[in-house]
Amino acid sequence: MRRLKTLLLASIAGLIIPATAAFPATPSDDDGPPGSGRFRIRPVLRLNLDAVSVTPDDGETTVRGSIRRLRVGVAGRVGDKLRYRVERELSGDGGWRNAYVALRPHADWEVRAGNMIAPVSLEDMQGASDQSLAERSVANALAPGFATGIQVSQSGRRHTVTVGYFGPALRDEDGSATAEGYGIAGRATRLVVDGDRWKVHAGAGFERRSNRDDGRERVSARASGPYGPVVVRTPALSDVRSRTTVSLEGAVVRGPVAVQAQYVVTDLQRRSGRNVRYSGGYVQGSWMIDGGRYSYDRRRGMPETDRNKGRGYEVLGRVSQVNLNSGDVTGGRAVSVEIGGAVHLNDRLSLTSTAGVTRYRPGRSGAEQTGTVWVTRLSARF
């Protein structure tokens, strides 16, 4: 069975690589597909094929193939002001992901409604297509993730401001909400230095959610996304009145080098027990070793890899940590170190490899453990 699965993944990869040459450059998710006419639509496909090696602290190494992401949908626009995007994840737990409509009454303004990433964390706002390390950091466990609501964004040459009101993410038979409660979320960024050689970015995000009834809150972090073990986990708290998250971020871009960092704090206000506070953060650096450059997305307020020129080669590294011990809650602490490389074959196809070592202690008194995960990924986006 394992050989059959590996052969199937290899066959899919063999079909994808030559197929990308038949497609034009990737259209912007914001601008919609090229062409004429007032109604425009194009199919959306995100596919990640992974080869994974996992070595737990006291176990044997296991190697397997996996479809990490198989996301299908449509995107487009109606006229010049209304855009839409609907995507459904078919792998893993499945469920709806991006499912929204966006109105742009002016070039610098947007009103968006539907299921989307809550605008709090830089790492979350950078989608999977913007990242060359296999998975997000362990600190991302504190980010709100997907939510359903409405938001208003305004952007200029050197700043962005986004604020919205959100509830739980879409629920259906295949997926479940990632956060309970209702409340506001927002993010603001500033390009402090906007030179030809240097760009220095600063930003902050905020979320405040209130539970209408006593809400259950649990936070858990995995090493290397879905492949590694759950390294730290809090107990389920059933008396949470509200949740407040604050995120601070910074980034520096200079030609082929980019560095970004983030620190996140989450406070849970409880009705009966003591309030608790969790924290986490990361520092990440990357280098385009073939003379390529990083660019800056002024509409979304974040650095990005410039892949429009086709081929490129990257090396990356990241150190992240999360602390889920607070008061009478003993969720544990974890530190993860990851290094990786990426080959961008063209603007649609990338081959990446990430090795991560996570050192963690469940609770306060548990023994320290170490887990290692290596992920090699073929990514395709259409």
Side-chain angles (χ1 to χ4, degrees):
M1 179 64 69
R2 179 175 297 177
R3 290 182 178 179
L4 179 60
K5 186 174 183 179
T6 302
L7 180 60
L8 176 61
L9 293 177
S11 300
I12 295 174
L15 293 172
I16 290 174
I17 294 175
T20 57
F23 285 82
T26 304
S28 165
D29 290 342
D30 288 333
D31 294 338
S36 59
R38 296 193 57 80
F39 182 78
R40 307 182 187 185
I41 185 172
R42 67 177 175 90
V44 172
L45 171 65
R46 301 287 186 268
L47 177 63
N48 291 347
L49 303 179
D50 291 356
V52 186
S53 171
V54 180
T55 307
D57 188 69
D58 56 353
E60 297 182 355
T61 299
T62 59
V63 180
R64 63 187 179 94
S66 176
I67 298 178
R68 171 66 176 92
R69 178 171 287 107
L70 177 54
R71 191 175 298 181
V72 298
V74 293
R77 59 182 176 179
V78 180
D80 296 328
K81 300 185 182 300
L82 186 66
R83 290 161 173 79
Y84 61 90
R85 191 174 189 88
V86 179
E87 296 176 348
R88 186 172 179 85
E89 181 62 54
L90 302 182
S91 65
D93 293 334
W96 298 102
R97 296 300 186 260
N98 292 304
Y100 59 80
V101 294
L103 175 65
R104 288 196 184 148
H106 185 272
D108 297 335
W109 288 83
E110 180 184 86
V111 180
R112 181 180 296 188
N115 198 67
M116 68 197 89
I117 293 289
V120 177
S121 166
L122 167 64
E123 191 177 17
D124 252 1
M125 298 303 292
Q126 293 172 314
S129 300
D130 301 319
Q131 299 176 343
S132 295
L133 288 171
E135 301 293 339
R136 292 180 172 86
S137 71
V138 291
N140 194 63
L142 302 178
F146 278 96
T148 301
I150 184 169
Q151 69 178 32
V152 179
S153 302
Q154 195 275 330
S155 61
R157 178 171 176 79
R158 299 180 62 172
H159 76 275
T160 68
V161 178
T162 303
V163 64
Y165 184 84
F166 296 92
L170 286 177
R171 297 172 181 265
D172 58 19
E173 67 277 8
D174 297 321
S176 60
T178 58
E180 299 296 331
Y182 296 80
I184 62 172
R187 176 173 174 263
T189 71
R190 176 71 178 176
L191 200 54
V192 181
V193 177
D194 186 17
D196 293 335
R197 300 180 64 185
W198 289 88
K199 296 190 185 303
V200 180
H201 158 101
F206 174 82
E207 181 196 39
R208 171 78 176 190
R209 287 181 182 241
S210 298
N211 292 308
R212 295 178 177 176
D213 300 314
D214 287 348
R216 296 179 62 85
E217 294 276 352
R218 164 175 276 176
V219 179
S220 62
R222 283 183 175 272
S224 300
Y227 298 122
V230 176
V231 294
V232 288
R233 172 184 290 166
T234 68
L237 304 178
S238 60
D239 59 347
V240 176
R241 183 178 70 253
S242 59
R243 171 178 178 147
T244 303
T245 298
V246 176
S247 173
L248 301 177
E249 65 189 56
V252 177
V253 175
R254 189 183 188 278
V257 177
V259 178
Q260 70 182 51
Q262 191 170 351
Y263 181 69
V264 184
V265 176
T266 293
D267 287 320
L268 301 183
Q269 293 77 41
R270 303 166 68 183
R271 297 184 186 277
S272 55
R274 295 174 57 186
N275 294 345
V276 298
R277 171 173 291 183
Y278 310 135
S279 63
Y282 69 88
V283 177
Q284 175 179 314
S286 53
W287 176 32
M288 297 285 288
I289 62 177
D290 64 339
R293 299 173 63 86
Y294 293 95
S295 57
Y296 189 83
D297 188 329
R298 298 178 186 273
R299 180 181 293 277
R300 297 188 298 167
M302 64 184 66
E304 63 179 358
T305 305
D306 188 358
R307 300 177 187 170
N308 292 329
K309 297 179 181 179
R311 298 177 182 273
Y313 304 90
E314 268 184 296
V315 292
L316 309 97
R318 179 174 63 204
V319 178
S320 62
Q321 65 87 26
V322 65
N323 182 4
L324 301 183
N325 293 326
S326 177
D328 58 344
V329 176
T330 56
R333 300 184 64 174
V335 177
S336 184
V337 179
E338 296 153 288
I339 58 173
V343 179
H344 305 297
L345 303 175
N346 54 46
D347 59 338
R348 293 181 177 276
L349 194 66
S350 298
L351 182 65
T352 64
S353 187
T354 301
V357 178
T358 302
R359 188 73 172 172
Y360 58 99
R361 184 193 296 273
R364 285 194 174 91
S365 59
E368 283 198 347
Q369 302 179 50
T370 302
T372 302
V373 181
W374 193 322
V375 181
T376 298
R377 171 174 297 164
L378 177 65
S379 300
R381 58 192 299 259
F382 299 91

